[in-house]
Structures are given as structure tokens and as C-alpha cells.
Amino acid sequence: MKRSVQFKIYLGLLLLCIIGFQFQVTTVDDFFVNPVYIGSMVLAILLVIKALGYTCQKCSRNQIVLGFFKYRLPTSKCYNCGHDIDQHRT
């Protein structure tokens, strides 16, 4: 599966967990053991790791994080040099 599609799927799952969390009634005692909360935290950490590691092999530029407040959804081609990022992936 392409890395850009995989990242978009993880992002969609995170949004579903966040939306699903809004419909659950939780108390203070069981907040941190809520499965939707745990799933959201795991997906959020996974997305941050994947976003920081999503770089072009040719120009070594990150494809998602452009600046402190600038982000993009990834594509299969590099935004800077046009290199196919998924071409030589092992």
C-alpha cells in the first residue's frame, strides 16, 4: 500500500475515534481506560511518528510538516522535486 494512502487511512481512523469519543458517557474513574480514548492516543502517536518520517529519498524534505503551522496531506510524488516517493520503497 502506498505511504500516502496509508497515512490518510490512519488520519481518518483518528478522526473517527475522536468523533466516537464525543458520544460516549465517561466518568472521571474510567476515562483513561476507555477503549476509544486509548485508540485515539495510539493513533495520534503513530501519526506523529509517520508525519516526521515521511521524507523524500531524493531531496530529503519532509512531505507533511512544512513549518510550525504549515502541514499538507501527503501524495505519492514529492512536492519539491517531483520524485516518486513510493517507487524505491522496501
Side-chain angles (χ1 to χ4, degrees):
M1 180 181 298
K2 290 186 175 186
R3 288 169 61 187
S4 60
V5 175
Q6 188 179 23
F7 185 85
K8 291 174 187 176
I9 289 171
Y10 288 146
L11 185 61
L13 287 174
L14 178 63
L15 290 175
L16 282 175
C17 283
I18 291 170
I19 291 170
F21 187 69
Q22 300 300 317
F23 293 110
Q24 291 206 350
V25 178
T26 58
T27 61
V28 175
D29 296 334
D30 64 347
F31 179 75
F32 293 108
V33 295
N34 187 344
V36 178
Y37 174 78
I38 294 170
S40 298
M41 284 291 125
V42 169
L43 279 170
I45 292 168
L46 182 68
L47 274 173
V48 168
I49 291 170
K50 285 198 171 285
L52 292 176
Y54 200 95
T55 57
C56 176
Q57 295 89 3
K58 190 174 181 183
C59 65
S60 299
R61 284 205 143 164
N62 196 309
Q63 300 298 305
I64 297 173
V65 181
L66 301 175
F68 194 70
F69 291 113
K70 291 184 181 181
Y71 305 97
R72 292 185 188 170
L73 281 177
T75 61
S76 60
K77 297 224 181 254
C78 177
Y79 287 113
N80 188 39
C81 65
H83 178 71
D84 188 11
I85 295 174
D86 294 323
Q87 179 182 2
H88 298 292
R89 187 166 179 243
T90 58

